[in-house]
Amino acid sequence: MFPGAGGTQHLPRLTGRARALEIILGGAAFDADLAERYGWINRALPADGLDAFVAGLARRIAGRPPHAVAAAVEAVEASALPLPEGSSSRTPSSARCSPPPKPSNA
């Protein structure tokens, strides 16, 4: 891992300080199982199961209401902010999880 592209800043957030130092300073190769246990990757899958997993995940996300997906993504993105900033929002994400009101014909 080389400094300059943000990897050395993001890795400790994913794996924790001690493991990030082990990865960066140790310079060893990591297999997918260890990378998954360390939190470096989301999931280790066999190559022949990857397409089915991704297709299923995409199908589940696409089947959710778009406004709820957007609110969930916004809430997760806010978790990277300092707590006071991340927890305050003009409209709480939970309030946006309900379907938008239908326009009245009046």
Side-chain angles (χ1 to χ4, degrees):
M1 180 169 301
F2 298 100
T8 55
Q9 286 77 38
H10 294 293
L11 189 61
R13 295 175 184 166
L14 294 172
T15 65
R17 180 184 179 277
R19 286 184 171 161
L21 286 170
E22 175 189 347
I23 293 165
I24 294 166
L25 299 176
F30 284 78
D31 65 16
D33 290 331
L34 184 58
E36 181 182 21
R37 282 199 316 270
Y38 274 23
W40 196 353
I41 61 173
N42 291 348
R43 183 180 304 262
L45 297 167
D48 62 354
L50 182 61
D51 288 343
F53 174 80
V54 171
L57 178 61
R59 196 170 30 260
R60 286 191 306 277
I61 293 169
R64 307 238 190 292
H67 58 277
V69 172
V73 170
E74 184 179 324
V76 170
E77 293 299 323
S79 72
L81 299 171
L83 192 55
E85 293 170 40
S87 62
S88 67
S89 175
R90 283 177 270 153
T91 306
S93 296
S94 59
R96 291 190 309 276
C97 287
S98 300
K102 294 184 181 179
S104 65
N105 293 333

